[in-house]
Amino acid sequence: MKVRGLREEAADILAVELCRADGTALPFTWGAGAHVDLQLGNGLVRQYSLTNLAEDAALHVAIKREADSRGGSRWLHEQLRIGSRVQVGVPRNLFPLQDGDDEVWLVAAGIGITPLLAMYRHCLRRGRPVCLLYFARSEAHLAFAATFAGDARASLICGLPADEVSGRLRAELPTWRPGLQLYTCGPAVFMEQVMAQAAAAGWPDEARHQEHFQAPANPAEVQGGFELVLARSGQRVTVQAGESLVAAAARVGVGIPTSCGMGMCGCCVTRVLSGTPEHRDQYLSDAEQASGEWLMPCVSGCQGARLELDC
Ligand code: FES
C-alpha cells in the first residue's frame, strides 16, 4: 500500500493513512477492533490497530513513538513519507466488538485509544449507546481530541497522577447491569486497574474485554528437557530450560523466521505435526490454540516429552 496521509496527531503519535498503491478499492473488510501487520523496510513486522471503519476506502493507523523502540515505531516515525510503499497484511481481529445493541463502555489510556476509536465510531454510526473514558498523560498527548470535542459521551482525562487512576475509575464506572459491555486498551498496569474496578462494580468476566499491546512483563520460561523434532530437515535437538524453540532449532542449523520474538506478531507461526504445545503467545485465538495445530515457537513450549514441527 501507499502512504496517502501523514499527520502528527499528538505528541509522539503519528497518524498514517494508507491506500492501495494502484488507487483501487480495498480488497478486504474488517470490524472495529481489528489490526494490521505492517512490514517495515528494516525487516521487522509490527501490529497497529485500525482507527477507522471498513466503510472508508483507506486504512488509518496511529503509531506511538516508543522511547525504548527496538526499531519498529522509531523506523516508521523517521522513514515514512507521503508516497512511501508499505507491505500491509490483511486485517485480523482479536478484539472484536460483540454483536448486539448492548451499551458499550470504552476505557482507553494513551495509544490504547486506537482500537477503541474504531469501536466508538462504529457505535456512533450504528446508533449504539456508548461511553468513552480516555486517559492521557497531558493535553498534548491526547490523540483525536477533535473527534470527541463537545461530545458528552466522551470523558477526556488528562494528567491524572498514576495513584489517582483507580479512584477515578471507581467513580466513573457504573455498577454493572445486564446489557453493558466494557472494552479496555492501554498499558498492562492500567488495564489491570480497569478490570479490577469493573469486577468490583459487579461486571462479570464475559462483559469485560481487553486488548494487549505488550507481551506480559515476566513471561514464564519454557520448561526444557523435551525433544524437538524438525521434520523437514530431519534434525532433532533437546530443548534446554529457558531456551526458545527458535533458539533450539538454530543450534542445529534450522532457521525459523521471527520478528517480535514475543508471541505477538504471527511471523513465526509453525504447524505442529505431533506433540502437545504449551502456548504462551497472544497471537493465536483460543480456538487456534486449543486445536493444537499451530504454535508460535518464539515463546511457546511443549507439554510432553516430544514435539514435532513442520520446519
Ligand atoms: S516472532 Fe512474533 S510471534 Fe513469534
Side-chain angles (χ1 to χ4, degrees), residues 158-176:
C158 296
L160 197 67
D163 60 359
E164 294 179 21
V165 169
S166 275
R168 185 65 181 263
L169 288 166
R170 192 161 47 244
E172 298 276 358
L173 288 173
T175 300
W176 185 77

Side-chain angles (χ1 to χ4, degrees), residues 225-273:
F226 58 90
E227 182 184 39
L228 176 63
V229 180
L230 304 158
R232 285 194 216 177
S233 61
Q235 296 284 358
R236 293 165 184 266
V237 61
T238 299
V239 178
Q240 308 295 315
E243 182 181 41
S244 72
L245 301 181
V246 170
R251 280 200 283 120
V252 291
V254 177
I256 300 175
T258 62
S259 176
C260 71
M262 298 188 294
M264 298 178 71
C265 74
C267 175
C268 65
V269 66
T270 302
R271 184 178 287 279
V272 178
L273 298 177

Side-chain angles (χ1 to χ4, degrees), residues 142-155:
L142 196 65
F144 307 104
T147 305
F148 310 117
D151 188 344
R153 291 165 290 198
S155 298

Side-chain angles (χ1 to χ4, degrees), residues 16 21-22 61-62 68 88-89 99 106 111 117 136 148 222 240 264-265 272 281 285 302:
V16 182
D22 61 6
V61 297
D68 57 351
V88 183
D99 288 336
L106 305 172
I111 195 64
L117 177 57
F148 310 117
V222 170
Q240 308 295 315
M264 298 178 71
C265 74
V272 178
D281 66 279
S285 66
C302 169

